[in-house]
Amino acid sequence: MDTKVLIIGACGQIGTELTAKLRATYGVDNVIASDIRKLENDVVNNGIFEVVNALDYNQIEHLIEKYEITDVYLMAALLSATAEKNPAFAWDLNMNSLFHVLNLAKAGKIQKIFWPSSIAVFGPTTPSKNTPQYTIMEPTTVYGISKQTGERWCEYYNKQYGVDVRSIRYPGLISWSTEPGGGTTDYAVDIYHKAITEGTFTSFLSENTGLPMMYMDDAIKATISIMQAPNEQIKIRSSYNLAAMSFTPKEIAGEIKKHYPDFTIDYDPDFRQKIADSWPESIDDTAAREDWGWHNDYNLENMTTEMFAMLNKHVY
């Protein structure tokens, strides 16, 4: 049976690039992109697109039946900083959209689910350096609470009902092609834009705040490869730790200066500092590397070179 993909939340930060890659992988006609509204962008214009509310079970079920969907990528979520401003809606969206696809899989309507978790599942009591796969998890944000709860439900549906659900804990993601989207790690996207346009940047995190980060190309690669891995290789059904690099605002600024020597940075920490302080500095992702062969292609140096090359070519 051919793989037929439905992406829910296809116009978001990850969804945009994931959609393009999945269309290239499985063919344009086998990938159905969907989101709550129709935007004027490549996701909508370059293939099949449907408007869907991730909170509407019947709409999702209708699309799955209409297109004979096998795999669902549930990318709809309210991110960390945005979710803090609207906790009740964040909980509703992040949890109930997951229940809808888990229940559709339980009913035999789809074969496989990808659901993203996040380093936000960890908290201030988690060991912050080389955070282990299995460790203390006491998240302090609405986003983190919803992701930790989602992990427990994914594992439960796999154990109780045999649902094939796969997940990775994304670190902060950096992309040239999508605007910063309300996450605590998004300073590391904005800083590249500001280096080109203004030559200076004010960081909302303090200079030595280290966080796990990943270039978007690596995140997309990991997402598709965990879904393509044989079932028996996926031994963790809550969510896999995933890592590529960790750096501070000061370190990324130093790397940018190699390309723009006059670049300057200053620091004005805001409410996001508290969120960042509750997250790990670095991640141990041995399980992902051993179980399904994960490896990253990008580090801070070659990512910075690529970011400037792509931004100067496509944006500025």
Side-chain angles (χ1 to χ4, degrees):
M1 189 176 177
D2 286 346
T3 300
K4 296 277 298 231
V5 174
L6 171 64
I7 307 153
I8 301 170
C11 293
Q13 186 187 22
I14 304 169
T16 305
E17 298 190 42
L18 179 63
T19 301
K21 190 71 175 175
L22 285 168
R23 284 171 173 166
T25 304
Y26 295 113
V28 173
D29 293 340
N30 291 321
V31 177
I32 289 66
S34 70
D35 214 307
I36 188 114
R37 62 184 67 83
K38 198 169 187 174
L39 302 172
E40 190 57 38
N41 61 18
D42 288 347
V43 168
V44 175
N45 297 334
N46 293 353
I48 303 167
F49 180 85
E50 296 269 5
V51 174
V52 69
N53 180 351
L55 290 171
D56 190 324
Y57 180 93
N58 293 330
Q59 279 186 9
I60 298 168
E61 184 181 40
H62 171 69
L63 286 188
I64 285 166
E65 290 172 351
K66 178 179 175 182
Y67 293 103
E68 298 178 332
I69 297 298
T70 59
D71 298 10
V72 172
Y73 291 74
L74 176 57
M75 311 309 290
L78 227 53
L79 298 182
S80 57
T82 320
E84 289 305 297
K85 294 171 184 166
N86 198 343
F89 176 66
W91 175 259
D92 188 27
L93 175 62
N94 295 359
M95 294 314 307
N96 286 316
S97 59
L98 174 59
F99 276 127
H100 291 341
V101 294
L102 287 173
N103 284 325
L104 284 160
K106 180 189 167 189
K109 307 230 170 192
I110 42 181
Q111 293 174 8
K112 250 191 286 191
I113 296 166
F114 177 82
W115 176 79
S117 189
S118 162
I119 58 167
V121 296
F122 302 119
T125 54
T126 303
S128 66
K129 290 186 169 66
N130 286 324
T131 300
Q133 174 68 45
Y134 299 105
T135 186
I136 299 163
M137 296 161 76
E138 295 184 312
T140 53
T141 63
V142 180
Y143 180 63
I145 292 164
S146 69
K147 287 297 183 185
Q148 190 199 17
T149 309
E151 286 190 13
R152 306 274 36 90
W153 280 114
C154 287
E155 187 172 84
Y156 181 85
Y157 269 72
N158 174 260
K159 282 204 166 80
Q160 295 295 328
Y161 311 120
V163 169
D164 187 353
V165 58
R166 302 166 182 215
S167 179
I168 48 188
R169 294 171 181 151
Y170 288 128
L173 298 179
I174 298 170
S175 163
W176 65 268
S177 71
T178 45
E179 294 292 312
T184 301
T185 54
D186 277 351
Y187 88 87
V189 179
D190 198 25
I191 193 170
Y192 289 108
H193 290 268
K194 293 292 197 298
I196 295 171
T197 58
E198 298 174 21
T200 185
F201 180 71
T202 300
S203 171
F204 56 72
L205 299 180
S206 63
E207 63 178 347
N208 293 319
T209 305
L211 287 170
M213 299 282 191
M214 181 173 287
Y215 191 49
M216 186 64 82
D217 288 27
D218 273 339
I220 301 302
K221 180 178 88 164
T223 302
I224 295 174
S225 60
I226 193 174
M227 284 292 273
Q228 290 180 336
N231 194 34
E232 64 274 7
Q233 288 184 7
I234 309 302
K235 294 169 183 157
I236 293 168
R237 295 296 180 160
S238 50
S239 193
Y240 277 94
N241 276 1
L242 198 72
M245 57 186 119
S246 289
F247 55 77
T248 64
K250 187 177 180 181
E251 286 167 339
I252 192 175
E255 199 59 44
I256 286 169
K257 280 177 187 280
K258 294 178 185 175
H259 300 261
Y260 292 85
D262 296 332
F263 176 73
T264 60
I265 185 169
D266 54 46
Y267 304 93
D268 184 20
D270 67 10
F271 74 99
R272 287 166 286 197
Q273 181 66 47
K274 196 171 158 192
I275 297 174
D277 288 342
S278 76
W279 289 354
E281 291 175 40
S282 55
I283 299 286
D284 179 355
D285 65 351
T286 306
R289 292 175 188 268
E290 289 180 351
D291 288 1
W292 45 277
W294 156 247
H295 67 274
N296 58 297
D297 296 323
Y298 288 90
N299 55 30
L300 178 56
E301 191 174 358
N302 65 357
M303 176 184 75
T304 298
T305 302
E306 177 90 350
M307 281 290 286
F308 283 134
M310 299 307 273
L311 285 172
N312 283 313
K313 182 179 176 183
H314 295 285
V315 181
Y316 298 110

